[in-house]
Amino acid sequence: MKKKLTVFLLIVAVLIFLGSPVLLSRAGGGESYGGGGGGGGSFGGGGSGGGNGGGELIVCLIWLIIKYPCIGIPLTLFIIAAAIFSKVKTSGAITDRNLKKSAKAVRNSTIDSDISRLKAKDEKFSLEALKTRVATAFVAVQNAWSAQDLKKVIPFISDGVNERFSLQIQMQKAEGWRNIMENVSVRKVELIALSSDEHFDTLHFAITAKAKDYKKDLKTEKTLPGSTVNETFTEIWTFLRKADTKTLSGKGAFEGNCPNCAAPLEITDAGKCKACNAFIRSPAYDWILSEITQEEEWEPQKAKVTSFLKELITAKDPNFSVQYIEDRASVVFYRYQAALFTGDSLHLRKVASPESYKELAAQIAAGKKGNSAVYYRFPAVGKVETLWIQSDDKFDKIHVLVKWSGSLAERNLSTGRIKQTGPRAIRSTVFTLIRNSDAFSTSGSFSSSHCPNCGAPELRDASDVCPYCGTVLNDGSRAWILGEIKDFYSWSSSNRAQWDEDRRRANTDLPQNPSAVIEALAAMMFADGAADQKERKKLAEFASKHGVPESQTAEIVERVKNGNHVWQIPSDKARGSAFLSYLMDMALSDGRVSHEEWKMLKEAAYKIGIDEATLKKQLRNRQKALINFGKSYFKNTNVNTTPPPPPDFSN
């Protein structure tokens, strides 16, 4: 009996080993939009878990064949048959670990080309030297966050990042604690994307670090029970500078020196260096930290405004930049959250039009419950994206989507007592920014909460003017100001027809990033009626494989179900083929095209008008081309190799 039990347990162990690669193929997770304390003290998810158990499986099978052949031989034959059946079932699906290396080679090759272009205009640029500086900036921000004092990092963080940190620190203090990041150790700094346009160079770094993360009571200085976490985490930090800025010869703001004159930093109230009078927080001198994103939420940089819509504004405003607009939108978002938190609408006075301010002030006052402010605890931005630009004889309008999370709460303004009244949830809000039609942008400007005339920081008071130079800040003559706030669904219902028409005229291409692709695939599912549970599961599995969290996929599906989606699979063959090529590369990126992925590819191809035989042929050709490129790239690291072009479905 004991022997039979042992054999049975061994068989179970073998079957577990057989299934383990599926169970462990996608581990990790992370906190939504920074979670926890947010900003500098927030953790991303862990890494992938475990190996595939292949060696142990073979050993167990050999042992069973020798010791118990009546069990071992049939079981081995069963496993072989199952593997063959699985391969047949995939009907053209691919498994090749070389494709993983090829995907990395394609990414590296693209970055190599971008760096070469950057060096052509900035001979002193050194990626390794900048990585060292980025690590220095990372540790400096963690220390400032832990001390709840941003003075040392303000010189190199954007206004949007500063507003985010400042509000979250204010909220921590209101709850009587601070978030400590102790023993911060940067393990790896990797450049994962680089883009340049006529205004800015933008670099995205994946920073992997380890730290002891805990909360400390502000009064007793004791660690709050259950708040300590020791973990390795990865975040994406985005830095930018003006397109004509050159690499510094000496130290800069990251190291505590003026990036213009190199003197030890002492900053005036107007944000200038005391030694040389230069504006410190300027991308004209050095790199500025413009955004922090959790690893699982980051998407490759994409063209956020189509050429048609961009030309609509740049024809009369050549210095217009999306980077500035989205930082300005972040500032406005956090000013709005600060107004809710404090119950004081003056936070919005200088960034909102008089009409908008009057309406929002009334809403904030009406939203109070007695002497308690109703607000969102630790609001964290997951994405800021420019949706649409409109222009007429009177106003320019820019509609910016802010996707964020927060927990509804109440704070007694007399006692400071806080009560959370709702769970943390993801929300999508459109902030419409306006300005006078004859206004224009300042070249290379990135001061989105400073006076556009003298550069002084905006102060929270009842005045509409800059206290330093008297410039009116909220009349739309110089800066973009808040015109309206709406949740995405109500905004979409009132603007959908004209927005769709402008996008059609612009021949808008579907962005090549996972969440947009998931949205397009969800729209395909709902096109023929309600998507059943099996289809939703298939989509969720595909999304999970490509780093889109389950909660985000559910939100996308719900949005599509209600008809409030942005993207769908292009109906014309040329643009549809570009989408299918990207979808194919997504499926190949981890070296395995699963049965479900193959079905999804077939469905997308059918919608575009591409038959299965052509798809299968191009999939095999793409596999071969990527593998050959990967081998060539890693063998010839000093050779400027170019990735293979996307498949041509016209033949």
Side-chain angles (χ1 to χ4, degrees), residues 402-479:
V402 180
K403 194 172 180 183
W404 59 285
S405 63
S407 309
L408 199 62
E410 296 174 12
R411 184 171 78 98
N412 189 294
L413 299 175
S414 298
T415 65
R417 186 173 178 272
I418 291 171
K419 179 177 70 173
Q420 185 166 318
T421 57
R424 195 166 189 83
I426 296 174
R427 297 169 171 83
S428 296
T429 308
V430 176
F431 287 74
T432 299
L433 306 182
I434 63 173
R435 69 175 184 184
N436 298 344
S437 60
D438 58 355
F440 57 89
S441 306
T442 304
S443 176
S445 173
F446 210 71
S447 297
S448 45
S449 69
H450 288 66
C451 173
N453 183 54
C454 72
E458 294 173 351
L459 301 179
R460 184 184 63 83
D461 56 34
S463 170
D464 297 332
V465 303
C466 171
Y468 295 91
C469 69
T471 299
V472 178
L473 301 175
N474 63 351
D475 63 354
S477 64
R478 299 291 297 271

Side-chain angles (χ1 to χ4, degrees), residues 363-435:
Q363 288 177 9
I364 291 167
K368 290 181 181 177
K369 290 189 175 180
N371 197 37
S372 292
V374 177
Y375 73 105
Y376 295 94
R377 289 183 72 231
F378 302 108
V381 171
K383 178 170 72 172
V384 179
E385 181 177 357
T386 304
L387 294 177
W388 190 24
I389 300 174
Q390 293 175 290
S391 187
D392 57 32
D393 293 337
K394 190 175 182 181
F395 291 113
D396 296 327
K397 291 184 180 180
I398 292 188
H399 306 275
V400 184
L401 171 67
V402 180
K403 194 172 180 183
W404 59 285
S405 63
S407 309
L408 199 62
E410 296 174 12
R411 184 171 78 98
N412 189 294
L413 299 175
S414 298
T415 65
R417 186 173 178 272
I418 291 171
K419 179 177 70 173
Q420 185 166 318
T421 57
R424 195 166 189 83
I426 296 174
R427 297 169 171 83
S428 296
T429 308
V430 176
F431 287 74
T432 299
L433 306 182
I434 63 173
R435 69 175 184 184

Side-chain angles (χ1 to χ4, degrees), residues 31-283:
E31 298 164 333
S32 177
Y33 300 153
S42 57
F43 279 88
S48 297
N52 63 16
E56 292 89 343
L57 172 59
I58 292 169
V59 171
C60 284
L61 286 174
I62 292 172
W63 184 86
L64 278 171
I65 290 170
I66 295 170
K67 195 77 174 175
Y68 301 99
C70 59
I71 295 173
I73 293 172
L75 182 59
T76 302
L77 292 173
F78 169 77
I79 292 171
I80 293 170
I84 293 170
F85 175 76
S86 175
K87 202 162 189 177
V88 171
K89 186 183 175 185
T90 56
S91 185
I94 292 168
T95 300
D96 194 323
R97 66 181 63 186
N98 287 322
L99 283 168
K100 276 191 176 182
K101 293 182 179 179
S102 300
K104 184 178 180 181
V106 171
R107 289 193 299 270
N108 289 356
S109 175
T110 302
I111 291 173
D112 291 345
S113 298
D114 291 336
I115 290 175
S116 295
R117 284 191 288 270
L118 194 58
K119 285 183 175 179
K121 64 178 182 177
D122 180 9
E123 294 179 358
K124 292 182 180 178
F125 177 81
S126 165
L127 180 58
E128 293 308 312
L130 183 56
K131 284 182 179 180
T132 300
R133 296 193 67 217
V134 166
T136 298
F138 181 85
V139 174
V141 169
Q142 306 305 321
N143 292 339
W145 171 265
S146 299
Q148 295 185 330
D149 184 355
L150 301 176
K151 287 179 184 176
K152 291 184 178 180
V153 299
I154 278 179
F156 64 84
I157 63 176
S158 73
D159 289 337
V161 173
N162 182 41
E163 293 277 343
R164 168 185 175 176
F165 283 175
S166 297
L167 177 59
Q168 289 171 338
I169 288 172
Q170 185 183 0
M171 288 183 170
Q172 288 178 10
K173 289 179 177 179
E175 296 191 11
W177 54 269
R178 63 189 174 109
N179 179 211
I180 308 294
M181 299 293 287
E182 193 174 274
N183 300 326
V184 178
S185 172
V186 177
R187 301 297 178 86
K188 185 179 182 181
V189 178
E190 180 184 8
L191 178 64
I192 57 173
L194 187 163
S195 63
S196 295
D197 58 26
E198 65 271 32
H199 301 299
F200 297 104
D201 297 324
T202 307
L203 274 63
H204 306 273
F205 290 95
I207 304 176
T208 301
K210 188 173 184 178
K212 180 181 178 182
D213 178 6
Y214 60 95
K215 296 175 184 177
K216 182 176 283 190
D217 188 286
L218 290 177
K219 291 182 179 179
T220 66
E221 286 295 304
K222 291 183 178 179
T223 300
L224 298 184
S227 70
T228 302
V229 178
N230 286 284
E231 191 174 359
T232 300
F233 61 100
T234 300
E235 292 177 334
I236 313 303
W237 286 39
T238 300
F239 292 84
L240 61 76
R241 69 178 186 184
K242 281 188 66 177
D244 58 356
T245 299
K246 308 296 183 186
T247 296
L248 295 174
S249 299
K251 295 179 179 179
F254 293 6
E255 297 81 15
N257 295 75
C258 173
N260 184 49
C261 70
L265 263 180
E266 288 187 74
I267 305 175
T268 66
D269 290 340
K272 296 181 178 181
C273 170
K274 284 187 177 181
C276 68
N277 208 38
F279 285 112
I280 298 303
R281 195 192 300 170
S282 169

